[in-house]
Amino acid sequence: MTTTSPRPDFTPDSDPLDVIRWTLETHPDVLMPSAFNLNGVVLLDLAVKAGYRGEVVFVDTGYHFPETLATRDRLADRYPELTFVTLNDGATPEDGQTDPALYSSDPDACCAVRKVAPLQAYLRERAPSALLNARSRDQASTRADIPFVEDGARVKVNPLAHWTREMLETYAREQDLPVNPLYWDGFLSVGCWTCTRAVRPGEDARAGRWAGKGKTECGLWAGENRL
């Protein structure tokens, strides 16, 4: 569902709160997928301040760090006005969805089954006109041109597109946000434990994801099956 509210002339200096407020007015059915990384935690807090009261959708692949699941639970306690939805709840490496070694032999296929497919199925059911997500330009070279609003069959809104890591960290500390503790140990982007390592000095924030596997995205935001 959308309205006819015109799109403002957003600039790199636009306040993410203004971007979120425009989204809520124009796409009142918007949903927020999240993996509860630093960007996602900051976006959650900003979205609540802007008036968001919708769903936060997380995909449990069965391979998440315990710290990630604990962060989800802390956020759910902090923001009771939001509805936290976990897909594939209770997934495990031995649940029969995939070969337990698929993440090593074919990480694209593993992501497609365990992460992308459950979210795509949920979005087909819910049919939101827009997604509110936390990607930013400085996370990786593949995200360097992300705009605030991406058009398509489903609009994707990126309120933090122009925020730097330093800005995100400062905001999180000032607001005392429940950031995944792995972040402060160098895991600047946390995915499945099977395919995530700490980032080395000088690397971009997503360099620890699928390192050495020739892969930079799970398939939600890039590729032929992107959202």
Side-chain angles (χ1 to χ4, degrees), residues 74-158:
R74 290 172 66 199
L75 290 165
D77 288 341
R78 181 174 174 127
Y79 303 106
E81 57 269 79
L82 300 177
T83 301
F84 285 74
V85 177
T86 297
L87 307 179
N88 270 17
D89 194 20
T92 68
E94 296 81 25
D95 59 15
Q97 291 187 71
T98 60
D99 183 318
L102 186 62
Y103 69 84
S104 179
S105 62
D106 193 342
D108 284 334
C110 190
C111 286
V113 172
R114 289 191 169 271
K115 187 171 185 179
V116 179
L119 184 53
Q120 286 179 328
Y122 188 75
L123 293 178
R124 283 194 297 271
E125 174 188 332
R126 300 286 285 134
S129 63
L131 299 177
L132 195 62
N133 75 94
R135 290 175 297 158
S136 58
R137 291 183 171 209
D138 78 341
Q139 286 180 311
S141 59
T142 54
R143 299 184 173 186
D145 298 320
I146 287 176
F148 281 121
V149 183
E150 298 174 81
D151 290 314
R154 182 181 291 113
V155 174
K156 293 179 282 292
V157 184
N158 313 298

Side-chain angles (χ1 to χ4, degrees), residues 55-66:
E55 293 184 349
V56 180
V57 185
F58 169 72
V59 182
D60 183 357
T61 64
Y63 290 99
H64 281 293
F65 290 93

